[in-house]
Amino acid sequence: MTARSGEDAAGVRGAAIGALPFVVALLFAGLLILLVGENPLEALRLILDGSLGSPDKLSDTIMVWVPLTLAAAGLVVTFAAGLWNIGVEGQIVLGAIGAALIAREVTAPSWILVPLTLLFGILFGVVWALLAGVLKTKGKVNEIFGGLGLDFVATGLTLYLIIGPWAREGIASTSGTEPFPEDALLPAVGDTRFSPLAVALAILAVIGVWLLLRGTRFGLKLKAVGRNPKSAFLLGIPTNRYILGAFAICGGLAGLAGAIQATGFHQKLVPSVSGGYGFLGILVVLLAGFRAIWVAPISAFFAIVMVGSISLTLRLDIDSAIGGVLTGVLVLFALIGSGLRDYRQRKRAMEAPPPESEAEPGGDAEPADAREATN
Amino acid sequence: MEATLATIVAAAAPLLFATIGETISEKSGVINLSLEGSLMLSALAGFVLAFETGNTWIGFVAAAIVGASFATIVAFGSITLRLNQVAVGFVLAILGIALSSFLGSGYTGKPGGPIAVPPLDIPLLSDIPFFGPVLFSHNIVVYASLIVVVLAWLYMYYTRPGLSLQGVGERPEAAHSRGVPVNGLRYGYTIIGGALVGIGGAAFSLDAKLGWSFLHTRNFGWIALAIVIFGGWHPIRVAIGVYLFGFLQWLALDLQDVFPDLTQVLPIMPFVLMILALVLVNADWLRDWADRHPRWGNLIRGDAPSAIGTHFSAE
């Protein structure tokens, strides 16, 4: 099972987020809100107010932006290698578990403990991602299914820890572990959850990934592996090692995201610790056209929608899933929009009188098509 | 023993529809990765329509339409627009989950009793000892799921159009040169497959897992995709995979009494084991063994349709 190209795997080339898909997605969500009998403009106002309206809300939004951006930045690397790292959810969860392990078991001053929890988060994420990588390179299991399996295992492991060895005194409930000790928590500003350190790490991750793919030999070779693993291998690039490298980088960033989720946002280990940011991160990267720099603003938009739509449930009779609907529709329309653009270009190219070409079935003649083979 | 097997057969119906639908679609070369979302949304559509109209079968039709619609978007995106199939499918999966949570929030916990698929013993056959209770004392949806498996198998391997179906998934160029409309068939089979997935969704919400709850069919779409691979794209072996998964689920439920500490964890184990099984059928040593012993090997060995996930253009 070969992988397909990263950069244009989804056909999202060039400006992926044109204004049109954005408008259409907003209209679609608005229509749904009308359908349940509420005012879409009021909903929009509440979303903005609920995510940016007060220091508390703003800091929550920022603390959603951080893990989403970290996961998405990592996914840019695996996509560059042509990999669909569906296991990213599990890598976030393992990061949270790693951080929780340190937070629970180690007693040390904050300036030692905090870096240590983050480090263990990264470490656990790397290990989990490498498992998916080994399943792919050695076990020939497509990374999508290996990743899904590892996501299931991660979920099971969290539940086991929360109701088993790490259960709260007296009550075994799935609401989470005992809150972590103060010294293990990410230092935050005032009473909010806003952690400047977390934000700095997310920004560093985006810049790091951008530099890696743009200006290093590793990045260049990685993209070669993503575009055409066979030719890359024949040109002497140790394909498998690069695939594992991409997994490790993504797993590390996802693990960091999980650690920050646990020690910064929830301040304990909860069953849904990943927040679904792994899968959401895949949508972010698809919308970003696989470019690292775009990950930051798109994640910000997603974070605003996600946090804001929670307040919809409280104020209007609208389920908070409207946020997921809006982002999902947006990415779908952006994909289809870019597909339509290419489709029209192909049509035009065919109508223009090029030198008569032979019938070339199978699409093998076009390298872009061959690269998109998924199996 | 009888009762256990009967439970497994009954509970397998939704997954049988979904996996056979996906097998048909993938056999033609199109991966419909949206299953997790389309299964969930069609389960909701089936329940809501049946609940509002009081007619179970209207629910099934609605669910089939939802499944077919998702499949149409996958087909349009991947065949006409030549987008990456995985991307389109994945986005639809996430979108379907969100849509079902959004639209379904008002239907959580609504009673499904009056609109459940009514039981129907098959006269005479249900009186056969052992086989009667296991196979012939269910309802029409369960019988239909068994028939769909057999029909899909016969159609694919023993009819002319079935051979064309395999042709467009294996060697689209050759099929094209023999006058088979490759992309037209891919559209058709993807949509039919999607409709079956939709019926599978309704088989959850109107029968096997009656009612609607938040994330009602959680993870079943993903596991259906894995079972298709496990079954080597062969309807009968896919069905065996579904029953194996059903057995593991029953086991997990049963073991909850033995290991009360693991009540929350055990339900996840079948999903884990199924993925491990996937690793096993892909293992080199097993594949070598299968190559050396074709008689038995063909039972476990299954290769993906060669042209799966690729685009075809005749120009």
Side-chain angles (χ1 to χ4, degrees):
Chain A
M1 298 184 178
T2 53
R4 76 248 110 232
S5 120
E7 254 180 75
D8 40 19
V12 200
R13 267 156 285 181
I17 41 166
L20 193 63
F22 192 73
V23 173
V24 180
L26 277 179
L27 284 178
F28 183 87
L31 209 67
L32 276 179
I33 291 172
L34 273 180
L35 210 71
V36 296
E38 298 287 356
N39 181 350
L41 288 176
E42 175 68 4
L44 188 64
R45 196 189 65 75
L46 278 176
I47 286 184
L48 292 176
D49 184 59
S51 54
L52 310 169
S54 75
D56 257 351
K57 292 166 178 168
L58 183 62
S59 62
D60 275 5
T61 305
I62 291 172
M63 291 310 280
V64 168
W65 176 80
V66 166
L68 187 57
T69 302
L70 283 169
L75 286 161
V76 169
V77 178
T78 39
F79 270 121
L83 301 164
W84 279 84
N85 185 12
I86 302 278
V88 64
E89 282 282 322
Q91 290 147 27
I92 297 178
V93 171
L94 261 286
I97 292 178
L101 180 73
I102 296 301
R104 291 179 57 87
E105 308 296 336
V106 179
T107 318
S110 179
W111 63 274
I112 298 180
L113 204 51
V114 169
L116 203 61
T117 55
L118 298 183
L119 200 68
F120 262 72
I122 294 174
L123 208 68
F124 274 46
V126 169
V127 169
W128 213 242
L130 283 177
L131 273 178
V134 171
L135 276 177
K136 183 184 175 67
T137 53
K138 294 260 182 286
K140 297 191 185 68
V141 175
N142 184 301
E143 76 274 12
I144 294 178
F145 295 100
L148 275 176
L150 289 166
D151 288 348
F152 291 140
V153 178
T155 312
L157 192 60
T158 325
L159 276 172
Y160 170 71
L161 287 170
I162 290 174
I163 56 166
W166 292 354
R168 289 162 72 183
E169 227 26 76
I171 21 167
S173 101
T174 49
S175 65
T177 59
E178 209 77 55
F180 299 145
E182 195 75 24
D183 285 340
L185 300 181
L186 273 185
V189 174
D191 285 338
T192 68
R193 289 179 170 131
F194 172 55
S195 155
L197 172 67
V199 174
L201 287 172
I203 293 172
L204 275 179
V206 171
I207 296 174
V209 167
W210 181 71
L211 284 176
L212 177 81
L213 293 179
R214 215 189 143 86
T216 64
R217 293 183 71 86
F218 178 86
L220 210 66
K221 288 183 176 173
L222 195 68
K223 282 196 274 191
V225 172
R227 279 173 182 270
N228 194 334
K230 239 178 226 156
S231 349
F233 184 73
L234 291 175
L235 285 171
I237 300 176
T239 324
N240 281 352
R241 219 182 299 161
Y242 274 80
I243 286 177
L244 291 177
F247 267 118
I249 293 171
C250 184
L253 292 176
L256 181 59
I260 290 173
Q261 271 284 93
T263 61
F265 197 87
H266 295 291
Q267 313 194 336
K268 58 182 180 179
L269 186 64
V270 296
S272 57
V273 69
S274 87
Y277 299 148
F279 285 177
L280 206 58
I282 294 179
L283 295 196
V284 168
V285 180
L286 286 177
L287 198 56
F290 307 99
R291 289 161 304 174
I293 290 305
W294 278 93
V295 157
I298 293 174
S299 294
F301 173 72
F302 276 37
I304 289 170
V305 170
M306 287 303 170
V307 175
S309 53
I310 295 170
S311 68
L312 281 184
T313 322
L314 306 174
R315 306 272 285 277
L316 301 177
D317 190 19
I318 300 175
D319 193 271
S320 64
I322 189 72
V325 175
L326 177 62
T327 51
V329 168
L330 175 60
V331 181
L332 182 66
F333 285 151
L335 269 177
I336 289 182
S338 78
L340 280 173
R341 218 170 33 238
D342 291 353
Y343 178 73
R344 275 200 296 272
Q345 262 169 19
R346 275 199 303 275
K347 271 271 151 86
R348 231 173 289 138
M350 268 169 62
E351 278 156 14
E356 199 56 45
S357 65
E358 290 284 301
E360 276 155 329
D364 302 304
E366 283 179 52
D369 278 354
R371 265 186 271 131
E372 285 180 14
T374 34
N375 254 288
Chain B
M1 174 73 181
E2 263 174 34
T4 304
L5 287 176
T7 312
I8 291 173
V9 169
L15 264 186
L16 281 180
F17 282 114
T19 51
I20 295 299
E22 182 68 19
T23 305
I24 293 172
S25 173
E26 290 191 12
K27 208 75 175 170
S28 80
V30 179
I31 306 168
N32 179 356
L33 199 86
S34 77
L35 247 57
E36 180 72 7
S38 49
L39 202 65
M40 212 170 295
L41 194 61
S42 54
L44 174 71
F47 182 74
V48 169
L49 265 288
F51 187 83
E52 296 295 349
T53 63
N55 186 324
T56 311
W57 310 116
I58 291 180
F60 272 90
V61 172
I65 291 173
V66 168
S69 307
F70 266 58
T72 307
I73 300 175
V74 171
F76 176 71
S78 60
I79 299 170
T80 303
L81 299 184
R82 298 194 207 166
L83 293 170
N84 180 292
Q85 294 179 0
V86 177
V88 179
F90 184 80
V91 174
L92 280 174
I94 302 299
L95 180 58
I97 297 168
L99 267 176
S100 78
S101 306
F102 176 71
L103 298 170
S105 58
Y107 288 91
T108 308
K110 288 267 195 303
I115 45 166
V117 178
L120 177 76
D121 288 3
I122 296 184
L124 300 177
L125 289 178
S126 57
D127 297 330
I128 305 174
F130 187 75
F131 291 104
V134 171
L135 287 176
F136 303 114
S137 308
H138 297 288
N139 59 47
I140 194 149
V141 171
V142 176
Y143 305 137
S145 72
L146 296 168
I147 293 169
V148 160
V149 173
V150 177
L151 280 186
W153 169 59
L154 292 175
Y155 182 84
M156 275 179 201
Y157 293 95
Y158 298 100
T159 71
R160 251 195 120 64
L163 291 179
S164 296
L165 163 60
Q166 293 199 51
V168 300
E170 295 287 352
R171 303 207 172 283
E173 313 79 29
H176 174 74
S177 65
R178 268 184 282 126
V180 175
V182 173
N183 285 336
L185 284 187
R186 284 185 173 176
Y187 255 100
Y189 285 119
T190 305
I191 293 170
I192 292 171
L196 282 173
V197 171
I199 292 173
F204 270 114
S205 59
L206 293 170
D207 182 35
K209 194 179 174 195
L210 188 63
W212 175 256
S213 59
F214 179 60
L215 303 179
H216 197 66
T217 63
R218 186 183 215 164
N219 289 338
F220 279 97
W222 299 126
I223 210 68
L225 289 166
I227 291 175
V228 171
I229 301 178
F230 174 82
W233 293 266
H234 185 293
I236 301 289
R237 279 185 303 172
V238 166
I240 292 172
V242 170
Y243 286 121
L244 175 66
F245 179 71
F247 170 72
L248 291 173
Q249 279 198 303
W250 169 83
L251 201 66
L253 208 65
D254 221 43
L255 286 176
Q256 285 188 356
D257 294 337
V258 188
F259 305 102
D261 292 348
L262 299 177
T263 316
Q264 309 280 347
V265 181
L266 279 168
I268 296 172
M269 292 316 289
F271 294 93
V272 176
L273 288 175
M274 214 54 215
I275 300 281
L276 279 181
L278 209 60
V279 180
L280 194 70
V281 292
N282 272 310
D284 280 336
W285 59 267
L286 197 68
R287 298 217 135 201
D288 286 347
W289 181 86
D291 286 340
R292 275 183 278 111
H293 303 86
R295 179 180 295 179
W296 300 107
N298 283 339
L299 289 177
I300 52 159
R301 154 136 226 182
D303 287 319
S306 335
I308 197 167
T310 59
H311 304 295
F312 174 79
S313 64
E315 69 253 19

